Amino acid sequence: HVDLGPDSVLGLQLGLQFGQGTGAVVQVTTRETQRGDYDPRPALAFVSHALSPGLTVRAGRLRSPFFMLSDTADINYSQPWVRLPAEVYGLNPFADLDGIDLLHRSRVGDAFVELHPYFGASRIPVIGGGHARLQRLRGLTMTVEAGEFSFSAGHALAELAAHRTSQSYYDFIERTGLSPALQARLSGSGADASFSSLGMQWDDGSWRIVAELARLNAEAFVNSATG
């Protein structure tokens, strides 16, 4: 059996400019979801304004900058893999956030440094039924580009919730007689969570070396893990 769903995505993006330094971006994509459908959804929908040549503020639906390659994660042909390594990129399924961010880019010697603070919330469906969400999501990502090298580091904090409503989950609770305390660790809200990542890339146009390390810490609902 061949399933092309996980690697198939169709998107349409529209960019608009409103005078000097102000614009908007809307991107709609369709791909197989955790529910098994292909309902189109807005992956990006934000307005931006350049406060200065090196400082931009954006508000709306944004890409979550959790990983080094978050901005191009859906553009498979731009990657050296068939799909991004699940050992790292599977740790955090929240691909977008609804909120506000700042992009500050400056030159330091021969390098370019970008600082990217952000704040917002995110929500995704849970396989089988239910949803998971991040509330009070706040974080900072830093990227350094120096010649053929680029480096990234990021850290984010949030309140994690996961509400499971599938029949298989209810059957599991009834079959095992799971205590309310253990049920609260599988489904509920209010768990502290954090996510950190470090990445580097060297690309001379012919050869590329990529390395990335990520760590997820969660009080409940999912396993803490390192990739």
Side-chain angles (χ1 to χ4, degrees), residues 26-37:
V26 175
Q27 181 190 94
V28 178
T29 62
T30 177
R31 69 185 314 159
E32 188 177 37
T33 71
Q34 290 93 332
R35 296 185 298 266
D37 58 39

Side-chain angles (χ1 to χ4, degrees), residues 107-146:
R107 188 181 184 99
V108 180
D110 294 330
F112 289 96
V113 178
E114 182 179 86
L115 296 177
H116 185 183
Y118 53 92
F119 180 84
S122 186
R123 178 185 172 109
I124 59 172
V126 171
I127 294 174
H131 66 272
R133 67 177 185 269
L134 297 176
Q135 294 180 306
R136 297 182 63 244
L137 171 62
R138 64 274 190 201
L140 175 66
T141 299
M142 181 179 71
T143 304
V144 179
E145 299 174 1

Side-chain angles (χ1 to χ4, degrees), residues 154-206:
H155 184 66
L157 301 170
E159 291 182 1
L160 173 66
H163 296 281
R164 308 179 193 278
T165 60
S166 67
Q167 188 58 49
S168 61
Y169 171 72
Y170 293 134
D171 292 343
F172 170 74
I173 296 299
E174 182 178 356
R175 184 172 64 251
T176 60
L178 210 62
S179 69
L182 289 178
Q183 291 183 42
R185 293 189 59 80
L186 292 177
S187 180
S189 59
D192 289 334
S194 66
F195 190 81
S196 304
S197 65
L198 291 172
M200 67 79 62
Q201 184 169 243
W202 174 79
D203 188 348
D204 70 348
S206 299

Side-chain angles (χ1 to χ4, degrees), residues 41 43 62-66 70 74 92-97 122 124:
R41 64 182 300 274
L62 308 162
R63 188 80 185 182
S64 298
F66 294 134
S70 286
D74 286 339
N92 194 331
F94 293 91
D96 51 51
L97 69 92
S122 186
I124 59 172

